[in-house]
Amino acid sequence: MPNGTLHVYRDDLPEGLSLGSVVAVDTETMGLNPHRDRLCLVQMSGGDGHAHIVQLIPPERGGRGFDAPNLKRLMSDPAVTKLMHFGRFDVAVLQHSLGVTVAPVKCTKIAAKLVRTFTDKHGLKDLCKELLGVDLSKQQQTSDWGAMELTSDQLAYAASDVLYLHALWAKLEAILIRENRLELAESCFAFLPVRARLDLLGYEEPDLFAHRSR
Ligand code: MN
């Protein structure tokens, strides 16, 4: 599969690009707080080995900021499922930055946690190794995504986070069906955009659903 091509765009997806009805999506940001840390990259793949990376550049550096109509249309398109790993974070960041509701979504981490209850290893790297026999490098995970010129290592890492999600979902979906948890998974996915809104409003810690309020 990967050996695919890397397509890098500035400010938005190109007009008229279709990635199919299920698009793998990941983001890279300056950090883990969407209110503080800027969204830098949105990586996408239609599951064909090609990765499409949009670099979002702030206006003060000559970019269009989050004025990305094609990207916004895709993220909110009801006919396109956005496939993510730990979508709770990506959905929150995208909703906060782009101002659209990101839906419908599926999350391979939630799927894994629903059926792989014999382990606590639900990271993308662990799942790719276990279910696909693929070794993902996490070397660039904490690198500076705000740089104007990203290194080829950074871009390859960013791409690898979306290139395997379709294959991973196929494996996980089969297990969800086998274990009769697909409908529960789908209900969790449907709730993700709301969960992301709650996170952005500060209902993350303490969690709204927790018994204890502190
Ligand atoms: Mn990533």
Side-chain angles (χ1 to χ4, degrees), residues 26-28 43 157 161:
D26 185 40
T27 63
E28 303 300 338
Q43 309 98 279
Y157 164 78
D161 276 354

Side-chain angles (χ1 to χ4, degrees), residues 4-23:
T5 319
L6 203 69
H7 311 265
V8 183
Y9 316 101
R10 286 200 167 167
D11 295 317
D12 199 1
L13 283 169
E15 197 74 48
L17 176 73
S18 171
L19 299 175
S21 59
V22 181
V23 178

Side-chain angles (χ1 to χ4, degrees), residues 20-96:
S21 59
V22 181
V23 178
V25 178
D26 185 40
T27 63
E28 303 300 338
T29 63
M30 290 304 292
L32 297 177
N33 179 341
H35 295 287
R36 180 191 63 191
D37 304 320
R38 184 169 66 82
L39 170 63
C40 302
L41 295 189
V42 183
Q43 309 98 279
M44 287 149 282
S45 176
D48 56 358
H50 289 255
H52 302 263
I53 301 182
V54 175
Q55 185 180 21
L56 297 163
I57 298 163
E60 62 271 23
R61 279 196 263 150
R64 299 212 324 247
F66 300 126
D67 174 22
N70 298 329
L71 186 60
K72 289 180 191 183
R73 199 174 307 121
L74 178 66
M75 289 304 138
S76 55
D77 188 340
V80 177
T81 297
K82 274 64 72 174
L83 179 58
M84 302 172 173
H85 186 78
F86 195 51
R88 180 174 170 179
F89 178 75
D90 300 292
V91 170
V93 169
L94 289 163
Q95 291 191 161
H96 178 69

